[in-house]
Structures are given as structure tokens and as C-alpha cells.
């Protein structure tokens, strides 16, 4: 297997990792990869599936200024809805091709 070296490595395809990738693209930085130990994006919102899991701050504040979501279903959105928002950011910015799933960083 060939080894590839990137200028930038993002650990985790959760809210912060995806937001970082978007800002890198906006800054014209293209040589990066996102590593995630799971098989899909979402981070905390992917991993916490207990009943009632939801945002503990108003959802409008849990959006990046550069990727707003004016359509939250309620003030404190459920985890599944936040995860869908993250999935939407990944699709909108064509980030899936930059993510390597099933990779643990030690």
C-alpha cells in the first residue's frame, strides 16, 4: 500500500473536524485529509444515541456562521437532526472523498 503525505491532518469527522475542513477549503488549502475511527461522520452526535440526546444550547448557536441552518425543528435540536446537519455539510462541500474511515490515531 502506498503512503500518502498530506500538509494537514484533521482528526475526527465530527462538527469541529468538518468545520475545520470547510475553512481550509475557503482559505485555498487543498492538501488535507480527515481521519475518523468510525464508519461515518458525526462525532459526538453519531456516538450518543441514548433517548433524549439533544443539543444543550440553542441550535441556532450550534451552527457555523458560514453554514447556517435556519430550519432547526426546535430550539434544542435532537442528536439525529444535528448529525443530519453534519452530513449535509459533508455533502455540500464534497468532503466525503477527503475522509478516511476506520482509522484510529494513537
Amino acid at each position: 500500500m502506498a503512503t500518502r503525505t498530506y500538509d494537514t491532518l484533521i482528526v475526527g469527522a465530527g462538527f469541529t473536524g468538518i468545520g475545520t475542513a470547510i475553512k481550509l477549503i475557503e482559505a485555498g488549502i487543498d492538501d488535507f485529509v480527515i481521519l475518523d475511527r468510525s464508519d461515518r461522520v458525526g462525532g459526538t452526535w453519531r456516538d450518543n444515541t441514548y433517548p433524549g440526546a439533544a443539543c444543550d444550547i440553542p441550535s441556532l448557536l450550534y451552527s457555523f456562521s458560514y453554514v447556517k441552518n435556519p430550519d432547526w425543528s426546535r430550539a434544542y435540536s435532537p442528536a439525529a437532526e444535528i448529525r443530519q446537519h453534519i452530513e449535509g455539510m459533508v455533502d455540500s462541500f464534497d468532503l466525503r472523498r477527503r475522509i478516511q474511515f476506520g482509522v484510529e490515531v494513537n
Side-chain angles (χ1 to χ4, degrees):
M1 185 170 145
T3 301
R4 167 83 161 82
T5 301
Y6 295 89
D7 287 341
T8 305
L9 167 68
I10 299 170
V11 178
F15 199 76
T16 302
I18 298 306
T20 300
I22 293 167
K23 293 309 279 184
L24 286 172
I25 291 169
E26 289 180 351
I29 299 169
D30 192 52
D31 190 28
F32 67 89
V33 65
I34 305 166
L35 304 181
D36 198 285
R37 65 180 166 199
S38 184
D39 62 349
R40 59 194 171 109
V41 302
T44 295
W45 304 108
R46 172 199 62 228
D47 296 342
N48 290 304
T49 59
Y50 58 87
C55 198
D56 60 353
I57 62 169
S59 300
L60 288 176
L61 299 176
Y62 202 78
S63 299
F64 294 121
S65 61
Y66 48 93
V67 189
K68 293 180 182 177
N69 180 6
D71 300 320
W72 293 112
S73 65
R74 56 188 209 211
Y76 298 88
S77 298
E81 187 174 359
I82 297 168
R83 191 180 66 252
Q84 289 172 343
H85 177 59
I86 296 168
E87 290 275 357
M89 289 189 295
V90 167
D91 294 338
S92 292
F93 289 87
D94 191 27
L95 294 174
R96 202 164 304 276
R97 65 186 175 87
R98 298 174 179 274
I99 303 170
Q100 294 180 16
F101 294 107
V103 179
E104 186 143 351
V105 177
N106 296 320

